[in-house]
Structure formats: C-alpha cells, structure tokens
C-alpha cells in the first residue's frame, strides 16, 4: 500500500473487532463514544458525504444487511452497546428503543 492510501473499511473494521460465536455478542475494542458505542471513521457515499465517525453497529448493519431506512435506528437486542453482531441488531424507531430500554 502506498503512503497516503487508506486501508479498506472492512480491513480497518476488523482491526478493532472481536468476532465470537454466532449467538454471542461481538465486541468492539476500538474508539467508543461517551455512551459506550463503538465508532469508526468512514469515507464514501454509502455512509456519508466526505468522512465522519460512524457507529460501528450501524456500519456492520450496512455491510451485512443493507440500507438503514431514513428515520430509523439500528437497535441492540440485548442492550450491549459495544456489540456489533448482526444477529443482535434490528431496525426500529426511537419509541421502540425507549420501550426496549424500559
């Protein structure tokens, strides 16, 4: 790789991730926001115009399941914020997220 080239997103993603058994949480070990959600810097139209830090579980959802509908959230089935296992992620609304937290 030449100087100044970026590593592909998938390569960078897996540098900070631990993939466990399919039914267990896969934990993010890279940068986290103040709430404990993993985040990674991304480039490109699929994620953002230009570049920005994106939540790791949202990036995983996009990579494995596809587009996130406008106005929807990617929620965690078990409330583990550092988890990015696609089997533990689902689409919902802010109301769904609040009800799930209660």
């Amino acid at each position: 790789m030449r100087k100044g080239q970026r590593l592909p997103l998938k390569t960078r993603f897996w540098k900070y991730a631990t993939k466990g058994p399919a039914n267990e949480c896969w934990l993010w070990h890279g940068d986290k926001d103040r709430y404990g959600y993993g985040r990674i810097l991304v480039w490109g139209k699929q994620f953002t115009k230009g570049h920005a830090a994106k939540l790791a579980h949202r990036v995983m959802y996009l990579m494995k399941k596809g587009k996130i509908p406008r106005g929807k959230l990617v929620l965690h089935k078990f409330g583990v914020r550092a988890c990015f296992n696609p089997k533990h992620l689902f689409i919902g609304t802010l109301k769904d997220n609040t009800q799930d937290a209660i």
Side-chain angles (χ1 to χ4, degrees):
M1 178 165 285
R2 293 185 322 232
K3 186 177 179 181
Q5 274 189 309
R6 296 184 191 114
L7 289 172
L9 177 60
K10 286 183 182 180
T11 302
R12 288 185 302 107
F13 188 92
W14 290 108
K15 284 175 61 175
Y16 304 108
T18 300
K19 184 178 178 181
N23 60 336
E24 293 181 13
C25 288
W26 300 353
L27 300 178
W28 184 258
H29 298 289
D31 187 43
K32 294 179 184 155
D33 69 11
R34 64 182 174 162
Y35 303 106
Y37 293 101
R39 63 183 180 183
I40 187 169
L41 191 62
V42 297
W43 294 268
K45 294 177 188 174
Q46 181 181 8
F47 299 99
T48 183
K49 293 178 182 174
H51 66 278
K54 295 294 179 186
L55 298 174
H57 66 282
R58 290 179 62 87
V59 172
M60 173 55 76
Y61 190 95
L62 283 164
M63 289 191 302
K64 292 291 183 181
K65 296 186 176 187
K67 197 169 185 172
I68 300 166
R70 175 167 274 172
K72 299 290 183 172
L73 305 173
V74 177
L75 307 177
H76 295 87
K77 285 184 182 177
F78 304 110
V80 179
R81 294 175 178 182
C83 178
F84 62 91
N85 184 337
K87 291 185 177 183
H88 294 184
L89 304 175
F90 64 100
I91 295 295
T93 63
L94 183 57
K95 183 178 177 181
D96 297 330
N97 194 36
T98 303
Q99 288 176 336
D100 187 49
I102 294 170

